[in-house]
Amino acid sequence: NGTHGVSALYQVKIYDLHKEKYITDEIITNPSTSPTYMGSYASLISLPLSKGRYIIRVTYLQGAPELSNAYSTLEFSRAHHGK
């Protein structure tokens, strides 16, 4: 299908400020990537969240040495379900 993996290990934690607890704490190994017009992206986690306030922490734990100088951005998205 054309996807490749990122040779890296990440930890993703999401803390719900209203419930005062972590709702996820996952280790993601070699996330798959997909091409975009300006490079590629890796989706680390897909989790439905209710309206509220959260603390989201992504920690880069380990990876290939060639990734150390790679440009990266962290983005969050929300599914759009019509009007």
Side-chain angles (χ1 to χ4, degrees), residues 10-14 23-28 44-47 61:
Y10 300 89
Q11 180 179 33
V12 177
K13 292 182 176 185
I14 301 177
I23 57 173
T24 192
D25 182 354
E26 294 188 37
I27 301 294
I28 292 95
L44 298 181
I45 191 168
S46 179
L47 185 68
L61 300 174

Side-chain angles (χ1 to χ4, degrees), residues 24-68:
T24 192
D25 182 354
E26 294 188 37
I27 301 294
I28 292 95
T29 305
N30 301 327
S32 62
T33 61
S34 297
T36 66
Y37 72 100
M38 292 191 55
S40 63
Y41 72 92
S43 180
L44 298 181
I45 191 168
S46 179
L47 185 68
L49 298 175
S50 302
K51 185 176 179 180
R53 294 180 58 196
Y54 301 89
I55 296 172
I56 301 173
R57 177 173 289 147
V58 178
T59 305
Y60 178 72
L61 300 174
Q62 181 181 356
E66 59 270 17
L67 294 176
S68 64

